[in-house]
Amino acid sequence: NQNADRFLTLLRDSGVKCYDFRKTLHDDGMKHHEAFFVTDHHWKPETGLWAAGHILKILRDDLGWMVDVDILSTENFEYVIYPEWSLGSQGKKLTLMRAKPDDFTMIYPKFATNLQIKMPQIGLDVSGDFTNFYDTEQIKEKNYYKLDNYCAYTYGNQSLIKVYNNSAMNTKRLLIIQDSFS
């Protein structure tokens, strides 16, 4: 939190408008610790979907984009839960002797998607539905120390991801500078 506070202060002092989802999380009545994995410092995928909904609201309310914020309602997604499947970075340091693995959820849209996804670092350039974001090799089996199920989303931390929504009804562009939470 101290690092985030310092970073946000630097941005705001430079005139950059910022959104701090830590406050939004609490304003929505969510419990901070339940938004994160127990054995890792990352948000759960469910928390990421919640944040994406708030980003759509910002695009609509603050920037005037014509977006359907209801598209990210939880009922528009399928949740596949892998019980005790995730042993995050903090859990791996403690080992299974002292840490209980977290459940891990893969989230799939129930609605049609048509995207082109480019991740130059790994040579990925595909078109199709949203599942092209997922590296299912990371969840094919429960292996706490050799596989990283968190990397099933967007093939882990990529330095650049370009996404083109082929179904978009506008030509808007969005740049997201992210850390591992995105």
Side-chain angles (χ1 to χ4, degrees):
N1 281 326
Q2 290 172 334
N3 286 340
D5 290 341
R6 283 193 298 270
F7 182 63
L8 289 170
T9 298
L10 287 170
L11 289 171
R12 288 180 178 133
D13 288 351
S14 298
V16 176
K17 186 171 184 174
C18 302
Y19 299 90
D20 187 351
F21 279 35
R22 295 173 297 171
K23 181 180 179 333
T24 307
L25 187 131
H26 293 289
D27 289 349
D28 280 4
M30 296 174 67
K31 294 180 180 161
H32 178 82
H33 292 290
E34 291 177 9
F36 292 82
F37 288 102
V38 173
T39 65
D40 198 79
H41 62 285
H42 290 106
W43 279 348
K44 294 176 181 176
E46 296 87 343
T47 309
L49 182 59
W50 163 86
H54 277 281
I55 290 170
L56 273 186
K57 289 175 187 172
I58 290 167
L59 294 174
R60 180 195 65 195
D61 299 343
D62 293 3
L63 300 176
W65 290 23
M66 300 300 293
V67 293
D68 177 10
V69 297
D70 294 328
I71 193 78
L72 295 183
S73 298
T74 56
E75 63 270 4
N76 289 333
F77 293 85
E78 176 187 359
Y79 299 79
V80 179
I81 299 171
Y82 296 82
E84 296 184 3
W85 206 267
S86 180
L87 187 64
S89 58
Q90 296 165 356
K92 288 175 184 171
K93 290 175 185 175
L94 291 174
T95 74
L96 288 168
M97 291 295 292
R98 301 188 63 100
K100 181 181 181 256
D102 292 290
D103 292 349
F104 187 76
T105 305
M106 290 296 294
I107 302 175
Y108 300 90
K110 292 179 181 176
F111 51 89
T113 55
N114 182 7
L115 308 169
Q116 180 181 9
I117 302 166
K118 295 182 178 186
M119 298 182 204
Q121 187 175 353
I122 60 171
L124 186 74
D125 184 351
V126 295
S127 292
D129 67 23
F130 198 86
T131 60
N132 285 312
F133 272 116
Y134 300 152
D135 178 7
T136 56
E137 288 296 309
Q138 299 298 327
I139 54 172
K140 69 179 181 182
E141 64 179 291
K142 188 186 292 187
N143 190 324
Y144 300 123
Y145 296 101
K146 291 191 178 179
L147 296 175
D148 186 350
N149 50 38
Y150 199 75
C151 289
Y153 286 100
T154 67
Y155 294 78
N157 293 324
Q158 300 303 315
S159 58
L160 176 66
I161 301 173
K162 291 183 178 185
V163 181
Y164 303 91
N165 183 349
N166 297 322
S167 300
M169 302 304 284
N170 62 56
T171 58
K172 300 286 187 187
R173 299 176 77 176
L174 177 66
L175 170 67
I176 300 174
I177 300 172
Q178 58 98 26
D179 60 14
S180 61
F181 284 89
S182 77

